[in-house]
Amino acid sequence: MFKTKLNADGTVQRYRARLVAKGFQMKEGIDYYESFSPVFSYPSFRMVMARAAAMDMRVDQWDLKNAFLQQRIDVDHLYMAPPAGYSKTMADGVTPAALHCKGSIYGMVQSSRLLHVRLSRFLKANGYRQLISDKCVFTKGVGDDEEIVCIYVDDIILATKRGNEQKRFEFNKMFEKEFEMSPWTQGECDWILNINIQRDWEKGTIHLSQEAAISKLARRFGLDNNKGSLLPMDPNVKFKKPDLSDVIPSTSFDYMSAIGGLLYISITTRPDIAYSVGVLSRFMSCPGEVHVSAAKKLISYLYSTKTYGIRYSRSSGNESASAPHRHDQPQGYYHAEKNKKGIIGSPVQSGDGATVSAYVDADLAGDQDTMRSTTGYVIMLYGGVISYSAKLQSTVALSTAEAETN
């Protein structure tokens, strides 16, 4: 498999070539036993970024070199056909018909799990505690010695106090003894999972955005030259399933791919489009002209606001941020605000004295096809959003009171 790895600005970092196994041919109980492997959730990632901004913590990143190739597999007899172009012969000059796999490679069903299990055991053995709520987040120490480790497959993030260089060097040395690592540049983490991390030490802020991913999505659908939109969705348009004869074919507009790209952006750094994407994703199998038009409008809106994101601030640690999102700001803030329609806000104090604010609201029978209601919530900490959602309820509410409590 050939792949191009990009930098934060979209330029080519390096080209990769990998030998990948046909994992879809592996049989459970014979070729592997367990395959589940967790990664850190985006709310956990945002929580770590928020805490790093508030507590003046530096965020560094490490990458395991050829991570899956460093693990031994959990079965004794596993074989694979030689890849195309394989020319190595045995002692008798015969090219082997099969290769005996002693270690894991990319494509094997269990490779990711084996790596996670090894990393978890390694961190626990070195005094790190695994969170119950997220199996890929580990903590160690308190105060100036606090360390937070996040794992996403082979990407490792470490948050430590800004001036504690010794902790970072010890962490790097600890991992180099156990794993083969990519060289640590000793630079801060500014790009991971297509998320751009901008740090302003003077102002005490961390800003998360996805300008490169949004630009790529807009270019793919030819919407990077549009005028743009001030709103993600027209509030006066009611969406429902079209007649079969009015369904737009994928050859005309790849609606499913567009919603997939929007969905990834919405769950990472853009809570302002969560509701819009949730509504449009209900018509993945049967989009009509109105749905395609709304998807294009949403992509245009994203492109015109591609520098917007979520910002966490050291100065917002003990404040209940309530300023609404303004479109004239050069870089966006997303805040929830109480209003006359009954949005509920409930600030509480966290362990370090910061204010956690939660806001929730629901409509009544907003979905035109099922008459089900939609519930949305947002949870804020240190001036920015850490968790949010806008989902269709599983049952039909018969009153506004029932919709609010479902």
Side-chain angles (χ1 to χ4, degrees):
M1 185 182 76
F2 301 97
K3 186 177 180 182
T4 304
K5 187 170 184 178
L6 304 177
N7 294 309
D9 57 0
T11 58
V12 176
Q13 183 185 105
R14 67 176 182 268
Y15 297 98
R16 296 193 214 175
R18 285 178 175 168
L19 172 62
V20 181
K22 296 179 180 179
F24 58 87
Q25 294 182 346
M26 299 177 69
K27 296 181 179 180
E28 185 177 2
I30 300 175
D31 301 321
Y32 69 94
Y33 298 105
E34 292 186 73
S35 61
F36 175 74
S37 176
V39 294
F40 64 71
S41 65
Y42 290 114
S44 295
F45 170 75
R46 290 190 290 266
M47 179 67 205
V48 172
M49 293 298 108
R51 185 162 181 81
M55 300 301 168
D56 215 24
M57 301 176 78
R58 173 173 154 160
V59 181
D60 290 83
Q61 181 181 3
W62 281 263
D63 181 43
L64 299 181
K65 186 182 294 184
N66 298 322
F68 288 177
L69 306 184
Q70 299 187 43
Q71 325 307 318
R72 292 194 63 85
I73 56 175
D74 53 351
V75 292
D76 295 328
H77 304 290
L78 184 61
Y79 299 86
M80 66 176 290
Y86 184 84
S87 58
K88 187 175 181 179
T89 59
M90 295 186 292
D92 55 2
V94 178
T95 301
L99 302 177
H100 184 200
C101 299
K102 295 183 178 180
S104 66
I105 62 173
Y106 291 91
M108 287 185 178
V109 175
Q110 69 268 52
S111 293
S112 182
R113 177 179 176 81
L114 293 175
L115 175 61
H116 172 74
V117 170
R118 184 181 174 190
L119 282 170
S120 298
R121 290 174 178 172
F122 174 70
L123 288 169
K124 289 178 182 178
N126 283 275
Y128 290 85
R129 293 175 297 174
Q130 190 176 40
L131 296 190
I132 297 175
S133 58
D134 195 319
K135 299 299 183 182
C136 290
V137 180
F138 299 78
T139 63
K140 183 180 180 181
V142 294
D144 291 344
D145 293 327
E146 181 181 13
E147 299 175 55
I148 306 175
V149 180
C150 298
I151 299 174
Y152 197 100
V153 190
D154 60 345
D155 288 313
I156 301 169
I157 296 176
L158 172 69
T160 54
K161 205 67 175 178
R162 181 183 181 183
N164 203 335
E165 295 288 340
Q166 185 64 26
K167 286 290 181 183
R168 290 185 283 276
F169 280 104
E170 289 176 358
F171 185 86
N172 182 63
K173 188 176 180 180
M174 177 184 74
F175 262 86
E176 284 184 337
K177 289 182 178 179
E178 180 72 15
F179 299 91
E180 186 179 355
M181 310 286 291
S182 296
W184 179 41
T185 61
Q186 300 184 29
E188 288 187 76
C189 177
D190 58 3
W191 177 259
I192 185 171
L193 303 177
N194 285 324
I195 301 173
N196 187 26
I197 305 172
Q198 295 175 304
R199 188 68 182 260
D200 190 325
W201 286 104
E202 185 177 341
K203 295 180 180 179
T205 61
I206 290 180
H207 181 77
L208 307 179
S209 63
Q210 290 178 285
E211 186 173 348
I214 292 171
S215 297
K216 182 179 179 181
L217 181 66
R219 286 195 302 269
R220 180 178 179 183
F221 292 96
L223 299 170
D224 52 333
N225 293 319
N226 281 24
K227 182 179 179 181
S229 174
L230 293 177
L231 293 174
M233 179 179 284
D234 188 342
N236 298 315
V237 176
K238 302 298 182 182
F239 297 95
K240 60 181 180 180
K241 290 184 179 180
D243 295 332
L244 190 60
S245 59
D246 296 329
V247 173
I248 303 297
S250 59
T251 53
S252 176
F253 181 81
D254 195 350
Y255 185 83
M256 189 174 294
S257 179
I259 297 302
L262 289 168
L263 183 61
Y264 174 69
I265 295 170
S266 73
I267 64 175
T268 48
T269 63
R270 296 299 295 261
D272 57 327
I273 67 168
Y275 173 76
S276 303
V277 175
V279 171
L280 295 178
S281 64
R282 300 169 194 170
F283 308 97
M284 297 275 274
S285 61
C286 55
E289 185 61 41
V290 65
H291 309 110
V292 171
S293 178
K296 291 181 177 179
K297 177 184 176 70
L298 185 52
I299 295 175
S300 297
Y301 164 77
L302 275 179
Y303 189 74
S304 63
T305 59
K306 59 184 177 181
T307 59
Y308 286 17
I310 303 176
R311 178 171 295 179
Y312 305 103
S313 174
R314 180 174 59 224
S315 60
S316 299
N318 295 312
E319 300 172 4
S320 178
S322 58
H325 169 54
R326 291 175 49 194
H327 293 278
D328 58 346
Q329 291 174 337
Q331 292 182 323
Y333 295 81
Y334 299 113
H335 297 303
E337 184 181 45
K338 292 183 182 179
N339 60 25
K340 296 179 182 179
K341 294 183 179 180
I343 292 181
I344 302 171
S346 56
V348 297
Q349 294 292 342
S350 68
D352 56 9
T355 301
V356 181
S357 299
Y359 303 85
V360 62
D361 196 15
D363 66 2
L364 177 62
D367 185 71
Q368 299 294 301
D369 295 306
T370 64
M371 301 308 292
R372 286 189 285 171
S373 306
T374 300
T375 298
Y377 73 83
V378 59
I379 301 174
M380 301 183 59
L381 183 65
Y382 301 120
V385 178
I386 57 172
S387 183
Y388 54 91
S389 177
K391 290 185 178 180
L392 202 64
Q393 295 181 2
S394 58
T395 58
V396 176
L398 302 180
S399 65
T400 54
E402 189 175 336
E404 295 282 0
T405 56
N406 268 355

